[in-house]
Amino acid sequence: MAEKTSRSHGPPTLTVKGRNVRIRTIGALVLAGLAIWFIAANTGSVGIRLWIPTVTLPLWAVLAVTLVAGLVLGGYLFRRRARR
């Protein structure tokens, strides 16, 4: 017969300075750092065509707005899926 083990099946974690940190959290922090670095490295101005008008903005502002919109949409979809 199969033996039962007392090992729990929680999310994978690493110990950092005595605290358990989920690998998913570390990955999210690395991605956030890379996104901020990418936004900071792109400082030129770009023209963006919004249906009729053309707007000239710094590229970092466009990337930051896109990042925030993606985070809000992703958070909304994640919460909606978690409730099901």
Side-chain angles (χ1 to χ4, degrees):
M1 294 205 144
E3 293 182 26
K4 292 185 179 182
T5 60
S6 62
R7 185 176 158 219
S8 73
H9 295 284
T13 61
L14 292 174
T15 302
V16 178
K17 294 185 180 179
R19 298 181 69 183
N20 288 334
V21 180
R22 292 172 59 177
I23 293 177
R24 181 170 158 187
T25 304
I26 294 171
L29 290 174
V30 168
L31 284 176
L34 287 173
I36 291 170
W37 172 78
F38 184 76
I39 289 170
N42 290 287
T43 58
S45 292
V46 292
I48 298 174
R49 185 162 190 202
L50 304 170
W51 291 281
I52 297 173
T54 301
V55 181
T56 302
L57 293 169
L59 183 55
W60 68 264
V62 175
L63 292 171
V65 168
T66 304
L67 176 66
V68 170
L71 289 173
V72 168
L73 184 60
Y76 172 73
L77 292 176
F78 180 76
R79 285 186 63 161
R80 186 173 170 199
R81 179 184 283 180
R83 289 184 183 177
R84 288 185 185 188

